[in-house]
Amino acid sequence: MKFTQALKKGASQTVVGLIFGCYALCNLVGSLVLGKYIVQIGAKFMLVSGLFVSSVCTILFGLLDRVPEGAPFISLCFIIRSVDAVGFSAAMTSTFAVSAKVFPNNIATVLGSLEIFTGLGLILGPPIGGWLYQSFGYEVPFLALGCFLFLMVPFNIYVLPSFAADPTKDSFFRLFTHLKIVLICFAIFTLSSGLGFLDATLSIYALDKFKLTSGYVGLLLLGLSLPYCLSSPLLGIISDRFPSIRPWLMVIGGLSTATGFFFLGPMPILQIERQLWLLVLMLTVIGFSLSMTIIPTFPEILNCAYEYGFEDGLSTLGLVSGLFGAVWSIGMFCGPTLGGFITQQLSFEWAASVQGGLAFLAAFFLGVYFLYQGSPLKRAPLDRRKMSSDECTNLLS
């Protein structure tokens, strides 16, 4: 609906792409800056402020249809989307950091549980938003979502504790001086790039090649989001229960993701006829393998940081959270851009194959690194001190 409204207001396809691309760029910058200064700003204040900014920007975006077409409309689109991206980066960076702070020994389990709601958003967002748009027009979906986000502001003010911490002198540059963290970040990039590519091209491909209606395309996307939603908490529990297998979960998940993209089109050199059942099956494989790969990445980067001498505190959690969000944003920008270009110049099948090749490279490099360094199954994971019941009570009081 955003694309349609922008085109009606005189924005070209290129301008529309830039409007949505600026979101990823500002999210990238916001994640890096806010992750670095989370202690100085305050994790609770950052989360609450991010929710408030995102709620206001969402409501304002829904009112843009009242703005005159042309330059005023385009300028406000850029401003609102950019500010919204900074608010989102603030909320997500602090959410990851706070979750890891409160549950230091169950990070993957908590993140996996949070991904349930990411999956529910992917499942319920399009049909509910589409129904509101069809029934009440352009403004109501954004007003409803913005008001819901705004209600979360007082709720989080009441529920979240305050976190006292000292700032650190560590930096993102120091994180990137370690090869393992660089390789994990490349894996995160390939995952977000793949999701961004599918978000931008899958619907058009399904409508064109399989002559599906918009309703069936929405059901088709369940093949991706439902396995991701259901498998994330289970894989989070497994990752925390058996932390020594996290590296191989990333490797196997990356290889499975590559396989899913190779057969999604399928790859032209395979000489396999496209089939709807094969498309649905590969989306299911991609959804599950994305969860298998992404859930262990955050705790693995965090463990690497501690092993390399970073301080055990909120400042390091902010750095890792900001790095995760920044790399994810780069992928969400490059995926639709590169994928859309290849799709336009060649075909969807080749574009999906490129995404599969990136996922394969990430899994291959990680596998070679782990084999070269010695099997991670033989190494004891970093033992994080558990918080006592009295500490938890004091923290939440």
Side-chain angles (χ1 to χ4, degrees), residues 1 29 32 77 103 122 131 133 135-137 152 171 174 197 221 230 236 250 262 298 325 329 344 351 384:
M1 66 182 72
V29 177
L32 293 175
C77 282
F103 304 98
L122 293 172
W131 176 75
Y133 178 74
S135 302
F136 304 102
M152 293 297 102
S171 64
R174 188 180 167 206
F197 162 73
L221 295 175
L230 296 178
M250 290 187 287
F262 286 149
F298 187 89
S329 299
Q344 182 176 356
R384 300 291 313 284

Side-chain angles (χ1 to χ4, degrees), residues 55 145-156:
S55 65
L145 179 58
C147 291
F148 179 77
L149 285 173
F150 186 80
L151 290 176
M152 293 297 102
V153 173
F155 175 78
N156 281 276

Side-chain angles (χ1 to χ4, degrees), residues 94-150:
S94 55
T95 296
F96 277 43
V98 168
S99 299
K101 177 68 175 178
V102 178
F103 304 98
N105 295 285
N106 300 284
I107 298 174
T109 301
V110 173
L111 296 182
S113 300
L114 291 176
E115 290 307 304
I116 294 177
F117 298 96
T118 301
L120 288 175
L122 293 172
I123 293 170
L124 300 178
I128 294 177
W131 176 75
L132 290 174
Y133 178 74
Q134 292 292 334
S135 302
F136 304 102
Y138 172 82
E139 295 182 1
V140 173
F142 297 99
L143 296 178
L145 179 58
C147 291
F148 179 77
L149 285 173
F150 186 80

Side-chain angles (χ1 to χ4, degrees), residues 96-97 99-101 103-105 107 111 175 181 184 246 296-321 323 382 384:
F96 277 43
S99 299
K101 177 68 175 178
F103 304 98
N105 295 285
I107 298 174
L111 296 182
L175 278 176
I181 294 179
I184 294 175
R246 286 175 186 162
T297 55
F298 187 89
E300 272 298 297
I301 294 177
L302 191 58
N303 277 347
C304 287
Y306 290 137
E307 290 171 359
Y308 293 136
F310 282 71
E311 297 178 5
D312 186 352
L314 183 61
S315 186
T316 298
L317 294 174
L319 285 175
V320 175
S321 300
L323 177 64
L382 182 65
R384 300 291 313 284

Side-chain angles (χ1 to χ4, degrees), residues 143-226:
L143 296 178
L145 179 58
C147 291
F148 179 77
L149 285 173
F150 186 80
L151 290 176
M152 293 297 102
V153 173
F155 175 78
N156 281 276
I157 292 176
Y158 177 76
V159 171
L160 286 179
S162 298
F163 299 92
D166 296 322
T168 180
K169 296 181 179 179
D170 292 319
S171 64
F172 292 105
F173 177 77
R174 188 180 167 206
L175 278 176
F176 259 102
T177 59
H178 303 290
L179 180 59
K180 183 178 179 180
I181 294 179
V182 173
L183 294 178
I184 294 175
C185 287
F186 180 56
I188 296 172
F189 165 80
T190 63
L191 299 178
S192 61
S193 176
L195 283 177
F197 162 73
L198 291 176
D199 184 51
T201 60
L202 181 62
S203 299
I204 300 174
Y205 173 74
L207 290 170
D208 181 46
K209 300 299 181 181
F210 297 103
K211 309 302 179 183
L212 300 179
T213 63
S214 299
Y216 280 110
V217 171
L219 292 176
L220 185 66
L221 295 175
L222 286 178
L224 176 68
S225 55
L226 193 59

